[in-house]
Amino acid sequence: MDSSAIPDAEGSVEKFLHIPYDQRWEKLKPTIIHIYMEEKSRIPALAKRMKEVYSFDAQAHQYRYYFKKWDIKKRITTEEKGAVISALGKRRLREGVSTSDATIDQGGIEKAVDKKQLKRYINQSIRESESMTWNPGLFLQHALPYAAYLRSVGDHPSPSGAGPATPAYLTIDSPHANGSPPASQNAMTPTMQLVQRKVLLDRAKLFIEGRAQDLMAQMTSEDRESTITWLHDFWMYSFMTAKYWGKGPKIWTPSLINFKSFAGNPVPSTPGHQIEQGQGSESLPPSGNSLPFNNPTQLCRWAIYYKEDLDYESIPSPSVAREESEEQFDIDDESTWTQWPSSGISPSISATIMQGLQQNVFTEVQNETLPMAADSIIKTMEKSPEALQAEALGFAIMSRNVDAINQIVESVSFRSSPEILAVSPFHLAAQYLDGAKSCCMVMEILVHGLKNRNSIGINYTSRSGHTVLDTLFITILRSHSTISPHILSDKFIGQSRYSGQEVDPCGRWDADSPCIRQLYASGKQTIPHGWKHIFCHTSVQAVCHSISVIFDALQRPNINTPSGLFSSRCNCCGLKLTLGPLHALILTAFHLANHGCPGETLFGIVSCLVCLLVYRADPCAAEEVSVPAVLGLDTADDTCQHLRLNAAELASRVPLETMNTWTPEVRMGWNALIAILEHDIASRRSKRMASKRQTTATENNFSIDTSGNASIDTEDSEDEPCNHCIHEDERDDWKFVYCGNQKLGPIWAIIQAELLTYRRLDEHDSWLSTRFRMEDIVDGLRENDDAYLDRLLSGTENIEGYKLKRYSRCGFFFEAEVAGCARREEACESYYANFDDWKRTNFIQAR
């Protein structure tokens, strides 16, 4: 500070009387600021003193004007308080750090932080933080450990720095910055303890508000590592608690979790510091570190539905009195795990998850060292048991424990539950589809258990605009292609990985499988392409069964709801181009053809198409489609590129040069898609024309129906009505399935039989049985010749007894108790399936 105007030792002062009045302000500025700030004088007293001592006559409002101009103020602004707390918070664990180390530059004047003001501000904000509300689903998002997390954020700025930058006006004097030991809570000054509490609460608030990126930006690399590790440890604890709920260990400690999920191998150390040295994803080593991991098998597992036909009186098994501890279980052998006794009072799954959080039993990271306020997170969850229940349901769905899901859903049922809906249960079930463990059972429990405002009919489309069917398509492409997420939807821009990838739809890995734990621990955050294989029978069956469950429900959604995938906007006219569900299916098939795995046949996507058509998806529906945009074709034309196309027309627009890059099997599958769509469109249009002619003839003969009955859907009209029981609850204006195409039904029956009787038992086996020939479908539809379909129905193998049981015109088997989920013995006259590898089989009791 320039002290020329401040009295010297002899008491003389420089008054600057020889210069104009306006210029004296800058000359007397150091004196004015000294009296006002350091001597803490009020403005009236300041003005009086300046007049008496310095012969400088100015009014109070003039001082206020110049203080504002010079950026001089006694009180610290909210922004400055926040900056001080943030800067001190980064240094809060260093020994000797104090609020006295912080100074604020105001117009060139270094001002010390007022501790009283800072304390009042912190105490007020702490009181306000007690009113936070939990947002369900926050813990569901942390499937990645720290090493994989670093790769997932890529080039985002938040994870690579050392926390938020300190503003230029703020200076922190840190004499112990180099090599200072961590400060204990008791060693901190009272004000620094408040600062630490405020920092931790602010971070907890960011987490509770779902602002993960902002939270990470507030932290140093060490803080980020501790936080991500703590969150992932809790994710693993909650996932395994939900997955194994009802048997085995009741409390999953870190040692149990790691021994089970790393198959007894040493738990790898976090390579976080090694990764962060590169300051960016492009400099990361190929595997994060050299940790080895075993690739999963290419052979699927599968599920078989069975019905318990024996009627017997069960005899309770003798109870075994023992403590469920680590020593009592062979963690590697689940057959040794005992079912929990049904008698006695046991805590619910949500209570067990909450208990783990309260007692911090799931991690080695202690709450005292966690760089956010764990107690605030816990208290917020404790205040909302409904939100906690929703969190538990989310983990139960992700782990596919149908009994745990059923318990939670039964407690909700008709009761409106915005907390349950906040975790998007139907989309979560489609995302974590598992054809080997639960098939469609998770979706079935949710669809039939959640009713009214909770129903799938109302909650079919998510907040991101994706339908449940869209999510099934995403799961298909995630698991069976190499396509990047951002190609599917602009909602995925910036994402490098798919949610739900830690669960394989055909049962080859799970989130707690050693291969996944080791993969993530090595620093990889996406599933290697070599782990994936084609859209296989196990996955196809789970998708088709899920479609049947969704669209056979009483409170079912509209199957023709617009898709949220592959949407775009015309650069010329600005029109938003939204596709229909069958258009989205065609583009899913297109990406399987272009980016699918070796051996892809498109049988799976053909099966999905036929299933959707049977459940009344409209092949005639046309939408505005920009073919170059959705197919990724280069075009320099600035005019509108969109045309009104149905799904068959879109499929026919794929360039020949693109199709020539496909294998013969993929081209045949693509031709089957087009043939099925074109034949069904022609069939429906033909019936509509016949109906119009009949209506015209009736009107000409003045024969008018005055009964008031609704008109029959002319697309379903046949000489003989379909007599399958699935039609019993239908009305003329409210139908479940489509029966108007006599060739579609047999194709659907053939597809179901293929899924019920064939799996690839060896890596050299074909992905399709020799009984199913895609070319017979193509030729039979294009030539309108039933002989080809008859050959499929009779089989091409010399198998004694190979014959399908009776099925309806819509393709459902008459003996099937659940039409959309027939069992093998309800569809086939004899046993000719090849499912005899029981180690790869999971039996599901039919409901």
Side-chain angles (χ1 to χ4, degrees):
M1 180 188 297
D2 182 5
S3 58
S4 59
I6 300 176
D8 58 21
E10 297 179 354
S12 61
V13 296
E14 177 62 59
K15 300 182 180 180
F16 303 103
L17 297 174
H18 61 285
I19 62 176
Y21 176 82
D22 290 344
Q23 296 179 18
R24 293 180 69 194
W25 280 100
E26 290 299 325
K27 293 295 184 179
L28 293 169
K29 176 180 176 181
T31 302
I32 294 171
I33 293 176
H34 175 81
I35 297 171
Y36 182 65
M37 296 295 293
E38 297 184 29
E39 297 184 13
K40 300 182 179 179
S41 176
R42 295 180 178 272
I43 289 180
L46 168 65
K48 180 179 179 182
R49 181 174 173 183
M50 290 301 295
K51 181 178 180 180
E52 293 176 350
V53 178
Y54 296 89
S55 302
F56 185 71
D57 190 6
Q59 301 301 312
H61 71 273
Q62 291 176 286
Y63 283 103
R64 293 190 183 97
Y65 168 78
Y66 276 95
F67 285 152
K68 184 176 181 181
K69 179 181 178 181
W70 294 335
D71 193 26
I72 299 297
K73 50 189 176 295
K74 287 186 176 180
R75 298 191 64 84
I76 308 175
T77 65
T78 300
E79 177 186 345
E80 290 169 341
K81 292 171 187 172
V84 169
I85 291 170
S86 178
L88 289 174
K90 289 193 295 183
R91 301 161 175 83
R92 70 191 188 282
L93 296 182
R94 294 178 185 170
E95 187 176 357
V97 174
S98 168
T99 51
S100 301
D101 298 326
T103 56
I104 298 174
D105 184 336
Q106 291 190 344
I109 307 301
E110 294 293 329
K111 184 180 70 173
V113 174
D114 189 315
K115 294 182 180 181
K116 291 184 179 180
Q117 290 186 36
L118 198 61
K119 286 181 178 180
R120 285 196 297 269
Y121 171 75
I122 293 175
N123 286 323
Q124 176 63 26
S125 62
I126 289 176
R127 286 191 294 270
E128 292 174 353
S129 68
E130 296 176 356
S131 61
M132 291 187 291
T133 303
W134 186 260
N135 294 311
L138 290 175
F139 281 123
L140 305 181
Q141 305 167 18
H142 299 282
L144 294 180
Y146 184 61
Y149 163 79
L150 285 179
R151 284 182 171 269
S152 72
V153 295
D155 295 326
H156 289 215
S158 59
S160 58
T166 301
Y169 61 77
L170 179 61
T171 301
I172 306 293
D173 183 16
S174 302
H176 304 287
N178 296 323
S180 62
S184 67
Q185 182 77 10
N186 293 332
M188 292 182 183
T189 65
T191 306
M192 276 305 299
Q193 291 182 21
L194 275 177
V195 167
Q196 170 163 276
R197 182 62 179 163
K198 168 65 174 170
V199 169
L200 300 183
L201 284 173
D202 284 349
R203 291 174 176 180
K205 182 179 180 182
L206 289 174
F207 173 73
I208 292 170
E209 292 175 347
R211 298 164 57 188
Q213 191 167 346
D214 292 338
L215 172 63
M216 294 297 107
Q218 293 292 319
M219 295 184 173
T220 63
S221 59
E222 293 81 4
D223 286 347
R224 282 193 288 270
E225 181 172 353
S226 296
T227 302
I228 295 299
T229 300
W230 186 81
L231 290 171
H232 175 66
D233 286 350
F234 185 68
W235 192 96
M236 286 302 306
Y237 165 81
S238 301
F239 179 88
M240 295 182 72
T241 295
K243 179 177 179 178
Y244 302 111
W245 183 257
K247 65 177 181 179
K250 289 187 176 181
I251 299 296
W252 284 91
T253 63
S255 58
L256 280 175
I257 292 172
N258 290 331
F259 193 87
K260 170 66 175 172
S261 59
F262 283 103
N265 295 317
V267 179
S269 60
T270 300
H273 297 294
Q274 172 188 349
I275 291 176
E276 287 230 4
Q277 291 173 359
Q279 295 297 318
S281 60
E282 68 279 354
S283 61
L284 293 173
S287 300
N289 62 14
S290 58
L291 183 73
F293 48 84
N294 296 320
N295 292 346
T297 176
Q298 283 290 314
L299 298 175
C300 303
R301 298 176 61 83
W302 53 78
I304 295 178
Y305 285 89
Y306 74 94
K307 182 180 179 182
E308 185 63 75
D309 293 323
L310 296 178
D311 185 14
Y312 64 94
E313 182 179 354
S314 61
I315 301 175
S317 300
S319 60
V320 180
R322 71 178 188 182
E323 292 292 327
E324 285 85 356
S325 63
E326 297 183 26
E327 293 77 14
Q328 298 294 333
F329 296 101
D330 183 353
I331 296 298
D332 284 332
D333 186 1
E334 294 181 31
S335 66
T336 66
W337 298 9
T338 57
Q339 293 286 336
W340 298 350
S342 56
S343 60
I345 300 175
S346 297
S348 65
I349 182 173
S350 57
T352 301
I353 290 176
M354 187 72 232
Q355 179 185 349
L357 187 62
Q358 291 167 330
Q359 299 178 1
N360 206 49
V361 299
F362 56 90
T363 183
E364 301 295 338
V365 179
Q366 298 302 309
N367 284 345
E368 294 76 17
T369 61
L370 187 68
M372 62 179 179
D375 63 318
S376 178
I377 294 172
I378 293 170
K379 287 178 181 178
T380 304
M381 287 196 70
E382 288 173 340
K383 291 188 299 184
S384 181
E386 294 82 6
L388 174 61
Q389 187 181 52
E391 208 84 31
L393 176 61
F395 280 110
I397 292 172
M398 292 192 297
S399 62
R400 293 94 62 218
N401 187 329
V402 294
D403 291 332
I405 297 168
N406 202 41
Q407 288 178 12
I408 298 174
V409 169
E410 284 182 347
S411 70
V412 177
S413 191
F414 291 94
R415 174 172 57 85
S416 179
S417 178
E419 293 83 8
I420 292 293
L421 299 179
V423 302
S424 301
F426 305 108
H427 294 79
L428 202 61
Q431 199 173 74
Y432 283 83
L433 194 67
D434 183 358
K437 179 181 179 181
S438 57
C439 194
C440 65
M441 294 299 290
V442 173
M443 187 69 73
E444 181 178 338
I445 292 171
L446 296 173
V447 167
H448 295 297
L450 297 176
K451 300 179 174 66
N452 297 343
R453 290 186 178 274
N454 304 325
S455 71
I456 192 171
I458 294 177
N459 301 283
Y460 180 60
T461 303
S462 69
R463 290 185 295 272
S464 62
H466 297 152
T467 66
V468 179
L469 182 60
D470 288 340
T471 308
L472 288 172
F473 291 155
I474 294 170
T475 299
I476 292 169
L477 291 173
R478 177 200 82 202
S479 307
H480 306 293
S481 81
T482 60
I483 195 73
S484 298
H486 72 274
I487 301 296
L488 280 61
S489 171
D490 57 6
K491 300 296 190 297
F492 298 149
I493 291 176
Q495 294 187 21
S496 56
R497 64 182 292 274
Y498 288 98
S499 297
Q501 65 174 13
E502 46 277 342
V503 172
D504 180 48
C506 45
R508 294 179 298 133
W509 64 78
D510 204 343
D512 63 337
S513 297
C515 61
I516 286 291
R517 295 299 311 276
Q518 292 166 352
L519 178 79
Y520 285 170
S522 73
K524 286 186 175 292
Q525 46 89 23
T526 57
I527 300 299
H529 296 165
W531 288 18
K532 301 180 180 181
H533 64 209
I534 78 163
F535 188 19
C536 59
H537 282 30
T538 295
S539 188
V540 174
Q541 186 174 43
V543 172
C544 289
H545 281 186
S546 295
I547 291 172
S548 299
V549 167
I550 294 168
F551 298 109
D552 191 19
L554 291 176
Q555 292 183 298
R556 66 187 185 276
N558 180 359
I559 196 171
N560 295 303
T561 300
S563 171
L565 299 180
F566 310 109
S567 60
S568 60
R569 190 173 295 276
C570 178
N571 293 328
C572 182
C573 68
L575 179 67
K576 185 177 181 180
L577 307 178
T578 302
L579 305 182
L582 294 184
H583 298 80
L585 178 139
I586 290 299
L587 292 177
T588 301
F590 174 77
H591 289 299
L592 283 175
N594 271 351
H595 305 284
C597 300
E600 180 60 62
T601 65
L602 296 188
F603 164 80
I605 212 71
V606 168
S607 303
C608 293
L609 171 63
V610 175
C611 184
L612 287 169
L613 292 174
V614 166
Y615 280 100
R616 308 191 72 81
D618 186 1
C620 302
E623 304 291 347
E624 291 290 333
V625 183
S626 172
V627 175
V630 296
L631 298 185
L633 306 176
D634 293 330
T635 177
D637 197 340
D638 293 332
T639 61
C640 292
Q641 297 291 303
H642 48 88
L643 301 170
R644 193 163 184 81
L645 304 173
N646 60 39
E649 293 166 338
L650 172 60
S652 300
R653 294 297 182 108
V654 175
L656 183 60
E657 55 267 27
T658 299
M659 296 182 63
N660 286 338
T661 65
W662 300 344
T663 64
E665 293 79 11
V666 168
R667 288 199 298 271
M668 183 59 67
W670 190 260
N671 290 333
L673 289 171
I674 297 176
I676 291 168
L677 283 167
E678 289 181 341
H679 184 275
D680 201 34
I681 291 170
S683 174
R684 294 175 189 240
R685 287 176 175 172
S686 174
K687 294 181 185 302
R688 289 174 183 174
M689 292 298 297
S691 176
K692 287 182 179 179
R693 288 193 295 269
Q694 182 178 1
T695 301
T696 302
T698 301
E699 290 175 349
N700 290 339
N701 291 326
F702 301 99
S703 176
I704 302 175
D705 182 7
T706 59
S707 64
N709 294 329
S711 61
I712 297 175
D713 189 335
T714 56
E715 292 182 352
D716 292 271
S717 300
E718 288 292 339
D719 295 334
E720 296 181 5
C722 177
N723 56 356
H724 193 280
C725 63
I726 197 171
H727 300 290
E728 290 179 356
D729 294 326
E730 291 184 338
R731 302 189 302 266
D732 289 339
D733 59 342
W734 195 64
K735 294 178 179 291
F736 289 102
V737 297
Y738 171 62
C739 295
N741 187 339
Q742 291 189 4
K743 289 185 172 56
L744 198 63
I747 294 174
W748 179 226
I750 293 164
I751 288 172
Q752 291 178 83
E754 171 73 7
L755 295 173
L756 289 168
T757 59
Y758 184 76
R759 290 296 185 274
R760 198 174 66 133
L761 299 182
D762 185 84
E763 291 190 11
H764 300 291
D765 291 345
S766 169
W767 289 101
L768 284 170
S769 74
T770 56
R771 296 183 294 274
F772 189 93
R773 288 168 45 87
M774 195 76 75
E775 50 266 45
D776 284 342
I777 292 178
V778 175
D779 294 339
L781 293 177
R782 287 183 173 175
E783 299 179 20
N784 200 25
D785 188 346
D786 290 341
Y788 292 97
L789 297 183
D790 290 341
R791 183 164 61 183
L792 275 176
L793 289 167
S794 60
T796 57
E797 292 182 342
N798 185 22
I799 299 176
E800 184 178 356
Y802 171 71
K803 185 179 180 182
L804 300 186
K805 290 191 174 182
R806 289 180 61 245
Y807 57 88
S808 67
R809 195 171 66 237
C810 47
F812 292 106
F813 293 96
F814 283 108
E815 292 187 16
E817 294 186 10
V818 180
C821 189
R823 291 178 283 119
R824 194 273 315 160
E825 56 270 26
E826 296 171 333
C828 306
E829 288 287 0
S830 61
Y831 183 84
Y832 54 87
N834 68 337
F835 287 16
D836 296 335
D837 187 346
W838 307 125
K839 292 182 179 179
R840 292 161 58 189
T841 304
N842 181 48
F843 292 94
I844 301 176
Q845 185 169 358
R847 292 180 180 267

